[in-house]
Coordinates of all heavy atoms in Angstrom, one line a residue:
M1 N 0.4 8.8 10.6 CA 1.3 8.5 11.6 C 2.0 9.7 12.1 O 2.4 10.5 11.2 CB 2.3 7.5 11.1 CG 3.3 7.1 12.2 SD 4.6 5.9 11.5 CE 6.0 6.9 11.8
L2 N 2.1 9.9 13.4 CA 2.9 11.1 13.9 C 4.2 10.5 14.3 O 4.3 9.7 15.2 CB 2.1 11.6 15.1 CG 2.7 12.9 15.8 CD1 2.8 14.0 14.8 CD2 1.9 13.3 17.0
G3 N 5.3 11.1 13.7 CA 6.6 10.6 14.0 C 7.2 11.3 15.3 O 6.6 12.2 15.8
S4 N 8.3 10.7 15.7 CA 9.0 11.3 16.9 C 9.5 12.7 16.7 O 9.7 13.5 17.6 CB 10.1 10.4 17.4 OG 11.1 10.3 16.3
D5 N 9.6 13.1 15.4 CA 10.0 14.4 15.0 C 8.8 15.4 14.9 O 8.9 16.5 14.4 CB 10.7 14.4 13.7 CG 9.9 13.8 12.5 OD1 8.8 13.4 12.8 OD2 10.5 13.7 11.4
E6 N 7.6 14.9 15.3 CA 6.3 15.6 15.3 C 5.8 15.9 13.9 O 4.8 16.7 13.8 CB 6.4 17.0 16.1 CG 6.8 16.8 17.6 CD 5.8 16.0 18.4 OE1 4.6 16.3 18.2 OE2 6.2 15.2 19.2
K7 N 6.3 15.3 12.9 CA 5.8 15.4 11.6 C 4.8 14.3 11.3 O 4.9 13.2 12.0 CB 6.9 15.2 10.5 CG 7.9 16.4 10.5 CD 8.9 16.1 9.3 CE 10.0 17.2 9.3 NZ 10.9 17.0 8.2
K8 N 3.8 14.6 10.4 CA 2.8 13.6 10.1 C 3.3 12.8 8.8 O 3.7 13.5 7.8 CB 1.5 14.2 9.8 CG 0.8 14.7 11.1 CD -0.5 15.3 10.8 CE -1.2 15.8 12.1 NZ -2.5 16.3 11.9
Y9 N 3.2 11.5 8.8 CA 3.5 10.7 7.7 C 2.3 9.9 7.3 O 1.6 9.3 8.1 CB 4.7 9.7 8.1 CG 6.0 10.4 8.4 CD1 6.3 10.8 9.7 CD2 6.9 10.8 7.4 CE1 7.4 11.5 10.1 CE2 8.1 11.4 7.7 CZ 8.3 11.8 9.0 OH 9.5 12.4 9.4
P10 N 2.0 9.8 6.0 CA 0.8 9.1 5.5 C 1.0 7.6 5.5 O 2.0 7.1 5.0 CB 0.6 9.6 4.1 CG 2.0 10.0 3.6 CD 2.7 10.5 4.9
V11 N 0.1 6.9 6.2 CA 0.2 5.4 6.1 C -0.8 5.0 5.1 O -2.0 5.4 5.1 CB -0.2 4.8 7.5 CG1 -0.3 3.3 7.4 CG2 0.7 5.3 8.6
P12 N -0.4 4.2 4.1 CA -1.3 3.8 3.0 C -2.5 3.1 3.6 O -2.4 2.2 4.5 CB -0.4 2.9 2.1 CG 1.0 3.3 2.4 CD 1.0 3.7 3.9
L13 N -3.7 3.4 3.1 CA -4.9 2.8 3.6 C -4.9 1.3 3.4 O -5.4 0.6 4.3 CB -6.1 3.4 2.9 CG -6.4 4.9 3.3 CD1 -7.6 5.4 2.5 CD2 -6.6 5.0 4.8
N14 N -4.4 0.8 2.3 CA -4.4 -0.7 2.1 C -3.5 -1.4 3.1 O -3.8 -2.4 3.6 CB -4.0 -1.0 0.6 CG -2.6 -0.6 0.2 OD1 -2.0 0.2 0.9 ND2 -2.1 -1.2 -0.8
Y15 N -2.4 -0.8 3.5 CA -1.5 -1.4 4.5 C -2.2 -1.3 5.8 O -2.2 -2.3 6.6 CB -0.2 -0.6 4.6 CG 0.7 -1.1 5.8 CD1 1.4 -2.3 5.7 CD2 0.8 -0.3 6.9 CE1 2.1 -2.7 6.7 CE2 1.5 -0.8 8.0 CZ 2.2 -2.0 7.9 OH 3.0 -2.4 9.0
A16 N -2.9 -0.2 6.2 CA -3.6 -0.1 7.4 C -4.7 -1.2 7.5 O -4.9 -1.8 8.6 CB -4.1 1.3 7.6
S17 N -5.4 -1.4 6.4 CA -6.5 -2.4 6.5 C -6.0 -3.8 6.5 O -6.5 -4.6 7.4 CB -7.5 -2.2 5.3 OG -6.8 -2.5 4.1
K18 N -5.0 -4.1 5.8 CA -4.5 -5.5 5.8 C -3.8 -5.9 7.1 O -3.8 -7.0 7.5 CB -3.6 -5.7 4.6 CG -4.3 -5.7 3.2 CD -3.4 -5.9 2.1 CE -4.1 -5.8 0.8 NZ -3.3 -5.9 -0.4
S19 N -3.2 -4.9 7.7 CA -2.5 -5.1 8.9 C -3.4 -4.9 10.1 O -3.0 -5.1 11.3 CB -1.3 -4.1 9.0 OG -0.4 -4.3 8.0
K20 N -4.6 -4.5 9.9 CA -5.6 -4.2 10.9 C -5.1 -3.2 12.0 O -5.2 -3.4 13.2 CB -6.1 -5.5 11.6 CG -6.7 -6.5 10.6 CD -7.2 -7.7 11.3 CE -7.8 -8.7 10.2 NZ -8.2 -10.0 10.8
L21 N -4.5 -2.1 11.5 CA -4.0 -1.1 12.4 C -5.2 -0.3 13.0 O -6.2 -0.1 12.4 CB -3.1 -0.1 11.6 CG -1.9 -0.6 11.0 CD1 -1.1 0.5 10.2 CD2 -1.0 -1.3 12.0
I22 N -5.0 0.1 14.3 CA -5.9 1.0 15.0 C -5.2 2.2 15.6 O -4.0 2.2 15.7 CB -6.7 0.2 16.1 CG1 -5.7 -0.3 17.2 CG2 -7.5 -1.0 15.5 CD1 -6.4 -0.8 18.4
S23 N -5.9 3.2 16.0 CA -5.3 4.3 16.6 C -4.6 3.8 17.9 O -5.2 3.0 18.7 CB -6.4 5.3 17.0 OG -7.0 5.9 15.9
G24 N -3.4 4.3 18.1 CA -2.6 4.0 19.3 C -1.6 3.0 19.0 O -0.7 2.8 19.8
D25 N -1.6 2.3 17.8 CA -0.6 1.4 17.4 C 0.7 2.2 17.2 O 0.7 3.3 16.7 CB -0.9 0.6 16.1 CG -1.9 -0.5 16.3 OD1 -2.1 -0.9 17.4 OD2 -2.4 -0.9 15.3
V26 N 1.9 1.6 17.6 CA 3.2 2.2 17.4 C 3.8 1.5 16.2 O 4.0 0.3 16.2 CB 4.0 2.1 18.7 CG1 5.4 2.7 18.4 CG2 3.4 2.7 19.9
L27 N 4.2 2.4 15.3 CA 4.9 1.9 14.1 C 6.3 2.3 14.0 O 6.7 3.4 14.5 CB 4.1 2.4 12.8 CG 2.6 2.1 12.7 CD1 2.1 2.8 11.5 CD2 2.4 0.6 12.6
K28 N 7.1 1.6 13.3 CA 8.5 2.0 13.0 C 8.5 2.4 11.5 O 7.9 1.7 10.6 CB 9.5 0.8 13.2 CG 10.9 1.2 12.8 CD 11.8 0.0 12.9 CE 13.2 0.3 12.4 NZ 14.0 -0.9 12.5
L29 N 9.0 3.6 11.2 CA 9.1 4.1 9.8 C 10.6 4.1 9.4 O 11.4 4.6 10.1 CB 8.5 5.5 9.7 CG 8.7 6.2 8.4 CD1 8.0 5.5 7.3 CD2 8.2 7.6 8.5
T30 N 10.8 3.4 8.2 CA 12.1 3.5 7.6 C 11.9 4.2 6.3 O 11.1 3.9 5.5 CB 12.7 2.1 7.3 OG1 12.7 1.4 8.6 CG2 14.0 2.1 6.7
I31 N 12.7 5.2 6.1 CA 12.7 6.0 4.8 C 13.9 5.5 4.0 O 15.1 5.7 4.4 CB 12.7 7.5 5.0 CG1 11.5 7.9 5.9 CG2 12.7 8.2 3.7 CD1 11.6 9.4 6.3
L32 N 13.6 4.8 2.9 CA 14.7 4.3 2.0 C 15.3 5.4 1.2 O 14.8 6.5 1.0 CB 14.1 3.2 1.1 CG 13.4 2.0 1.8 CD1 12.8 1.1 0.7 CD2 14.4 1.3 2.6
P33 N 16.6 5.2 0.7 CA 17.3 6.2 -0.1 C 16.5 6.7 -1.3 O 16.6 7.9 -1.7 CB 18.5 5.4 -0.6 CG 18.8 4.4 0.4 CD 17.4 4.0 0.9
N34 N 15.6 5.9 -1.8 CA 14.8 6.3 -3.0 C 13.5 7.1 -2.5 O 12.7 7.5 -3.4 CB 14.4 5.1 -3.9 CG 13.5 4.1 -3.2 OD1 13.1 4.3 -2.0 ND2 13.2 3.1 -3.9
G35 N 13.4 7.3 -1.2 CA 12.3 8.1 -0.7 C 11.1 7.2 -0.3 O 10.1 7.8 0.3
K36 N 11.1 5.9 -0.6 CA 10.0 5.1 -0.3 C 9.9 4.9 1.3 O 10.9 4.8 2.0 CB 10.2 3.7 -0.9 CG 9.0 2.7 -0.7 CD 9.2 1.4 -1.4 CE 8.1 0.5 -1.1 NZ 8.2 -0.8 -1.7
L37 N 8.6 4.9 1.8 CA 8.3 4.8 3.2 C 8.0 3.3 3.5 O 7.1 2.8 2.8 CB 7.2 5.7 3.6 CG 7.4 7.2 3.3 CD1 6.2 8.0 3.7 CD2 8.6 7.8 4.0
M38 N 8.6 2.7 4.5 CA 8.3 1.4 4.9 C 7.9 1.4 6.4 O 8.7 1.9 7.2 CB 9.5 0.4 4.7 CG 9.9 0.4 3.2 SD 10.6 -1.1 2.6 CE 10.0 -2.4 3.6
Y39 N 6.7 0.8 6.6 CA 6.2 0.8 8.0 C 6.2 -0.6 8.6 O 6.1 -1.6 7.8 CB 4.7 1.3 8.0 CG 4.6 2.7 7.5 CD1 4.3 3.0 6.1 CD2 4.6 3.8 8.4 CE1 4.2 4.3 5.7 CE2 4.5 5.1 7.9 CZ 4.2 5.3 6.6 OH 4.1 6.6 6.2
K40 N 6.4 -0.7 9.9 CA 6.3 -1.9 10.6 C 5.7 -1.7 11.9 O 6.1 -0.8 12.7 CB 7.7 -2.5 10.8 CG 7.7 -3.9 11.5 CD 9.1 -4.4 11.6 CE 9.0 -5.8 12.3 NZ 10.3 -6.4 12.5
L41 N 4.7 -2.6 12.2 CA 4.0 -2.5 13.5 C 5.0 -3.0 14.6 O 5.4 -4.2 14.5 CB 2.7 -3.3 13.5 CG 2.0 -3.4 14.8 CD1 1.5 -2.0 15.3 CD2 0.8 -4.3 14.7
I42 N 5.3 -2.2 15.6 CA 6.3 -2.7 16.6 C 5.6 -2.8 18.0 O 6.1 -3.5 18.9 CB 7.5 -1.8 16.7 CG1 7.2 -0.3 17.0 CG2 8.4 -1.9 15.5 CD1 8.4 0.5 17.4
Q43 N 4.5 -2.1 18.2 CA 3.8 -2.2 19.5 C 2.3 -2.0 19.3 O 1.8 -0.8 19.1 CB 4.3 -1.2 20.5 CG 3.7 -1.3 21.9 CD 4.2 -0.3 22.9 OE1 5.2 0.3 22.6 NE2 3.6 -0.2 24.0
P44 N 1.5 -3.1 19.2 CA 0.1 -2.9 19.1 C -0.6 -2.3 20.3 O -0.2 -2.5 21.4 CB -0.5 -4.3 18.8 CG 0.6 -5.2 19.2 CD 1.9 -4.4 19.3
A45 N -1.6 -1.5 20.1 CA -2.4 -0.9 21.1 C -3.3 -2.0 21.7 O -3.6 -2.9 21.0 CB -3.2 0.3 20.6
P46 N -3.8 -1.8 22.9 CA -4.8 -2.8 23.5 C -6.0 -2.7 22.6 O -6.5 -1.7 22.3 CB -5.0 -2.3 24.9 CG -4.3 -1.0 25.1 CD -3.5 -0.8 23.9
R47 N -6.6 -3.9 22.3 CA -7.7 -4.0 21.4 C -8.9 -4.6 22.0 O -8.8 -5.4 23.0 CB -7.3 -4.9 20.1 CG -6.4 -4.2 19.2 CD -5.6 -5.2 18.3 NE -5.1 -4.7 17.1 CZ -4.2 -3.8 17.0 NH1 -3.6 -3.3 18.0 NH2 -3.8 -3.4 15.8
T48 N -10.1 -4.2 21.5 CA -11.3 -4.8 21.9 C -12.2 -4.9 20.6 O -12.0 -4.2 19.6 CB -12.1 -4.1 23.0 OG1 -13.2 -4.8 23.4 CG2 -12.6 -2.7 22.5
Y49 N -13.0 -5.9 20.6 CA -13.9 -6.1 19.4 C -15.3 -5.7 19.7 O -15.8 -6.0 20.8 CB -13.8 -7.6 19.0 CG -12.5 -8.0 18.5 CD1 -11.5 -8.4 19.4 CD2 -12.2 -8.1 17.1 CE1 -10.2 -8.8 18.9 CE2 -11.0 -8.4 16.7 CZ -10.0 -8.8 17.6 OH -8.7 -9.1 17.1
I50 N -16.0 -5.1 18.8 CA -17.3 -4.6 18.9 C -18.2 -5.1 17.7 O -17.7 -5.0 16.6 CB -17.4 -3.1 19.0 CG1 -16.6 -2.6 20.2 CG2 -18.8 -2.6 19.0 CD1 -16.5 -1.1 20.3
K51 N -19.3 -5.7 18.0 CA -20.2 -6.1 16.9 C -20.8 -4.8 16.4 O -21.2 -3.9 17.1 CB -21.3 -7.0 17.5 CG -20.8 -8.4 17.9 CD -21.8 -9.3 18.4 CE -22.4 -10.1 17.3 NZ -23.4 -11.1 17.8
A52 N -20.9 -4.8 15.1 CA -21.5 -3.6 14.4 C -22.1 -3.9 13.1 O -22.0 -5.0 12.6 CB -20.3 -2.6 14.2
T53 N -22.8 -2.9 12.5 CA -23.5 -3.1 11.2 C -22.9 -2.0 10.3 O -22.8 -0.8 10.7 CB -25.0 -2.9 11.4 OG1 -25.5 -3.8 12.3 CG2 -25.7 -3.1 10.0
L54 N -22.6 -2.3 9.1 CA -22.0 -1.4 8.1 C -23.1 -0.5 7.6 O -24.2 -0.9 7.2 CB -21.3 -2.2 7.0 CG -20.7 -1.3 5.9 CD1 -19.6 -0.4 6.5 CD2 -20.2 -2.1 4.8
S55 N -22.8 0.8 7.6 CA -23.7 1.8 7.0 C -22.8 2.8 6.2 O -21.6 2.7 6.2 CB -24.4 2.5 8.1 OG -25.4 3.4 7.6
Q56 N -23.5 3.7 5.5 CA -22.8 4.7 4.7 C -23.4 6.0 5.0 O -24.6 6.2 5.0 CB -22.8 4.3 3.2 CG -21.9 5.1 2.4 CD -21.7 4.5 1.0 OE1 -22.5 3.6 0.6 NE2 -20.8 5.0 0.2
A57 N -22.5 7.0 5.1 CA -22.9 8.4 5.3 C -22.2 9.2 4.3 O -21.0 9.5 4.4 CB -22.6 8.9 6.7
G58 N -22.9 9.6 3.2 CA -22.3 10.3 2.1 C -21.2 9.3 1.4 O -21.5 8.2 1.0
N59 N -20.0 9.8 1.4 CA -18.9 9.0 0.8 C -18.2 8.2 1.8 O -17.2 7.5 1.5 CB -17.9 9.9 0.1 CG -18.5 10.6 -1.2 OD1 -19.5 10.1 -1.7 ND2 -17.9 11.7 -1.6
E60 N -18.5 8.3 3.1 CA -17.8 7.6 4.1 C -18.6 6.3 4.6 O -19.8 6.3 4.6 CB -17.6 8.5 5.4 CG -16.7 9.6 5.1 CD -16.5 10.4 6.4 OE1 -17.2 10.3 7.4 OE2 -15.5 11.2 6.4
F61 N -17.8 5.3 4.9 CA -18.4 4.1 5.5 C -18.3 4.2 7.0 O -17.2 4.6 7.5 CB -17.6 2.8 5.0 CG -17.8 2.5 3.6 CD1 -16.9 2.7 2.6 CD2 -19.0 1.9 3.2 CE1 -17.1 2.4 1.3 CE2 -19.3 1.6 1.9 CZ -18.3 1.8 0.9
I62 N -19.3 3.8 7.7 CA -19.4 3.9 9.1 C -19.9 2.6 9.7 O -20.6 1.9 9.0 CB -20.2 5.1 9.7 CG1 -21.7 5.0 9.2 CG2 -19.6 6.4 9.3 CD1 -22.6 6.0 9.8
A63 N -19.5 2.3 10.9 CA -20.0 1.1 11.6 C -20.9 1.6 12.7 O -20.5 2.5 13.5 CB -18.9 0.3 12.1
I64 N -22.1 1.1 12.9 CA -23.0 1.4 14.0 C -22.8 0.3 14.9 O -23.3 -0.9 14.7 CB -24.4 1.6 13.5 CG1 -24.4 2.8 12.5 CG2 -25.3 1.9 14.7 CD1 -25.7 2.9 11.8
G65 N -22.2 0.5 16.1 CA -21.9 -0.5 17.0 C -23.0 -0.9 17.9 O -24.0 -0.1 18.1
D66 N -23.0 -2.1 18.4 CA -24.0 -2.6 19.3 C -24.0 -1.7 20.6 O -25.0 -1.7 21.4 CB -23.8 -4.1 19.7 CG -24.3 -5.0 18.6 OD1 -24.9 -4.5 17.6 OD2 -24.1 -6.2 18.7
D67 N -22.9 -1.0 20.8 CA -22.8 -0.2 22.0 C -23.4 1.2 21.7 O -23.4 2.1 22.6 CB -21.3 0.0 22.4 CG -20.5 0.6 21.2 OD1 -21.0 0.9 20.1 OD2 -19.3 0.8 21.5
G68 N -24.0 1.4 20.5 CA -24.7 2.6 20.2 C -23.8 3.7 19.6 O -24.3 4.7 19.1
K69 N -22.5 3.5 19.5 CA -21.6 4.5 19.0 C -21.4 4.3 17.5 O -21.7 3.2 17.0 CB -20.2 4.4 19.7 CG -20.3 4.7 21.1 CD -18.9 4.6 21.7 CE -18.9 5.0 23.2 NZ -17.5 4.8 23.8
T70 N -21.0 5.3 16.8 CA -20.7 5.3 15.4 C -19.2 5.4 15.2 O -18.5 6.2 15.8 CB -21.4 6.5 14.7 OG1 -22.8 6.4 14.9 CG2 -21.2 6.5 13.2
Y71 N -18.7 4.5 14.3 CA -17.2 4.5 14.1 C -17.0 4.7 12.6 O -17.6 4.1 11.8 CB -16.7 3.1 14.5 CG -16.9 2.8 16.0 CD1 -18.0 2.2 16.4 CD2 -15.9 3.2 16.9 CE1 -18.2 1.9 17.7 CE2 -16.1 2.9 18.2 CZ -17.3 2.2 18.6 OH -17.5 2.0 20.0
K72 N -16.0 5.6 12.3 CA -15.6 5.8 10.9 C -14.7 4.7 10.5 O -13.8 4.3 11.3 CB -14.9 7.2 10.8 CG -14.5 7.5 9.4 CD -13.8 8.9 9.3 CE -13.3 9.1 7.9 NZ -12.5 10.4 7.9
L73 N -14.9 4.1 9.3 CA -14.1 3.0 8.8 C -13.2 3.4 7.7 O -13.4 4.3 7.0 CB -15.1 1.9 8.3 CG -16.0 1.3 9.3 CD1 -16.9 0.3 8.7 CD2 -15.3 0.7 10.5
N74 N -12.1 2.6 7.6 CA -11.1 2.8 6.6 C -11.8 2.2 5.3 O -12.2 1.0 5.3 CB -9.9 1.9 6.9 CG -8.8 1.9 5.9 OD1 -9.1 2.2 4.7 ND2 -7.6 1.5 6.3
P75 N -12.0 3.0 4.2 CA -12.6 2.5 3.0 C -11.9 1.3 2.4 O -12.5 0.5 1.8 CB -12.7 3.7 2.1 CG -11.7 4.7 2.6 CD -11.6 4.4 4.1
A76 N -10.6 1.3 2.5 CA -9.8 0.2 2.0 C -10.1 -1.1 2.7 O -10.2 -2.2 2.1 CB -8.3 0.5 2.0
A77 N -10.4 -1.0 4.0 CA -10.8 -2.2 4.7 C -12.2 -2.8 4.3 O -12.4 -4.0 4.1 CB -10.8 -2.0 6.2
V78 N -13.1 -1.9 4.0 CA -14.4 -2.3 3.6 C -14.3 -3.0 2.2 O -14.9 -4.0 2.0 CB -15.4 -1.0 3.4 CG1 -16.7 -1.4 2.8 CG2 -15.6 -0.4 4.8
T79 N -13.5 -2.4 1.3 CA -13.3 -3.1 0.0 C -12.5 -4.4 0.2 O -12.9 -5.4 -0.5 CB -12.5 -2.1 -0.9 OG1 -13.2 -0.9 -1.0 CG2 -12.3 -2.7 -2.3
Y80 N -11.4 -4.4 1.0 CA -10.6 -5.6 1.1 C -11.4 -6.7 1.7 O -11.2 -7.9 1.2 CB -9.4 -5.2 2.1 CG -8.5 -6.4 2.3 CD1 -7.6 -6.8 1.4 CD2 -8.5 -7.1 3.6 CE1 -6.7 -7.9 1.6 CE2 -7.7 -8.1 3.8 CZ -6.8 -8.5 2.8 OH -6.0 -9.6 3.1
F81 N -12.3 -6.5 2.6 CA -13.1 -7.6 3.2 C -14.4 -7.8 2.5 O -15.3 -8.5 2.9 CB -13.3 -7.3 4.7 CG -12.0 -7.4 5.5 CD1 -11.4 -6.3 6.0 CD2 -11.4 -8.7 5.7 CE1 -10.2 -6.4 6.7 CE2 -10.3 -8.8 6.4 CZ -9.6 -7.7 6.9
D82 N -14.6 -7.1 1.3 CA -15.8 -7.2 0.5 C -17.1 -7.1 1.2 O -18.0 -7.9 1.1 CB -15.7 -8.5 -0.3 CG -16.7 -8.6 -1.5 OD1 -17.0 -7.5 -2.1 OD2 -17.2 -9.7 -1.8
L83 N -17.2 -6.0 2.0 CA -18.4 -5.7 2.8 C -19.4 -4.9 2.1 O -19.1 -4.1 1.2 CB -18.0 -5.0 4.1 CG -17.0 -5.7 5.0 CD1 -16.6 -4.8 6.1 CD2 -17.6 -7.0 5.6
K84 N -20.7 -5.1 2.4 CA -21.8 -4.4 1.8 C -22.6 -3.7 2.9 O -22.6 -4.2 4.0 CB -22.7 -5.4 1.0 CG -22.0 -6.3 0.0 CD -21.6 -5.5 -1.2 CE -20.9 -6.4 -2.2 NZ -19.6 -6.2 -2.5
V85 N -23.2 -2.6 2.6 CA -24.0 -1.9 3.5 C -25.1 -2.9 4.1 O -25.7 -3.6 3.4 CB -24.7 -0.7 2.9 CG1 -25.7 0.0 3.8 CG2 -23.6 0.4 2.5
G86 N -25.2 -2.9 5.4 CA -26.1 -3.8 6.1 C -25.5 -5.0 6.7 O -26.1 -5.7 7.5
D87 N -24.2 -5.3 6.2 CA -23.5 -6.5 6.7 C -23.2 -6.3 8.2 O -22.9 -5.2 8.7 CB -22.2 -6.7 6.0 CG -22.4 -7.3 4.6 OD1 -23.5 -7.7 4.3 OD2 -21.3 -7.4 3.9
E88 N -23.3 -7.4 8.9 CA -22.9 -7.4 10.3 C -21.4 -7.8 10.4 O -21.0 -8.6 9.6 CB -23.7 -8.4 11.1 CG -25.2 -7.9 11.3 CD -26.0 -8.9 12.2 OE1 -25.4 -9.8 12.8 OE2 -27.2 -8.6 12.4
M89 N -20.7 -7.2 11.3 CA -19.3 -7.5 11.4 C -18.8 -7.2 12.8 O -19.5 -6.7 13.6 CB -18.6 -6.5 10.4 CG -18.8 -5.1 10.7 SD -18.1 -4.0 9.4 CE -19.1 -2.5 9.8
S90 N -17.5 -7.5 13.0 CA -16.8 -7.2 14.2 C -15.8 -6.2 13.8 O -15.1 -6.3 12.8 CB -16.2 -8.4 14.9 OG -17.1 -9.3 15.4
I91 N -15.7 -5.1 14.6 CA -14.7 -4.1 14.3 C -13.7 -4.1 15.5 O -14.0 -4.4 16.6 CB -15.3 -2.7 14.1 CG1 -16.1 -2.2 15.3 CG2 -16.1 -2.6 12.8 CD1 -16.5 -0.8 15.2
I92 N -12.5 -3.7 15.2 CA -11.4 -3.7 16.2 C -11.2 -2.2 16.6 O -11.0 -1.3 15.7 CB -10.1 -4.2 15.7 CG1 -10.3 -5.6 15.1 CG2 -9.0 -4.2 16.8 CD1 -9.1 -6.2 14.3
V93 N -11.3 -1.9 17.9 CA -11.0 -0.5 18.3 C -10.1 -0.6 19.5 O -9.8 -1.6 20.1 CB -12.3 0.2 18.8 CG1 -13.3 0.3 17.6 CG2 -13.0 -0.5 19.9
N94 N -9.5 0.6 19.8 CA -8.6 0.7 20.9 C -9.4 0.5 22.2 O -10.4 1.1 22.4 CB -7.9 2.1 20.9 CG -6.8 2.2 21.9 OD1 -6.9 1.8 23.0 ND2 -5.7 2.8 21.4
A95 N -8.9 -0.4 23.1 CA -9.6 -0.7 24.3 C -9.7 0.4 25.3 O -10.5 0.5 26.2 CB -9.0 -2.0 24.9
E96 N -8.7 1.4 25.1 CA -8.7 2.5 26.0 C -9.4 3.7 25.5 O -9.6 4.7 26.0 CB -7.2 2.9 26.3 CG -6.5 1.7 27.0 CD -5.0 2.0 27.1 OE1 -4.5 3.0 26.6 OE2 -4.4 1.1 27.8

């Protein structure tokens, strides 16, 4: 996440996968007194769904879309949704 202060803040992969975050989503970050970071989705980006097939390139999971494009996937999402290489799925991408 890029903050309004131009600093980069790490969004936990498990939060991103369970919340189905995509590039362009606007998040609110609260830094607690103990240093813990709390994120909240405040403005979702426009979304579109693409049918794809799960593949793997080295250590990365990728989706090969019906549109012919390749998309890098969040590994936590692949684990969370219990996907296997070759599975057909729908992926969510920024419509813009």
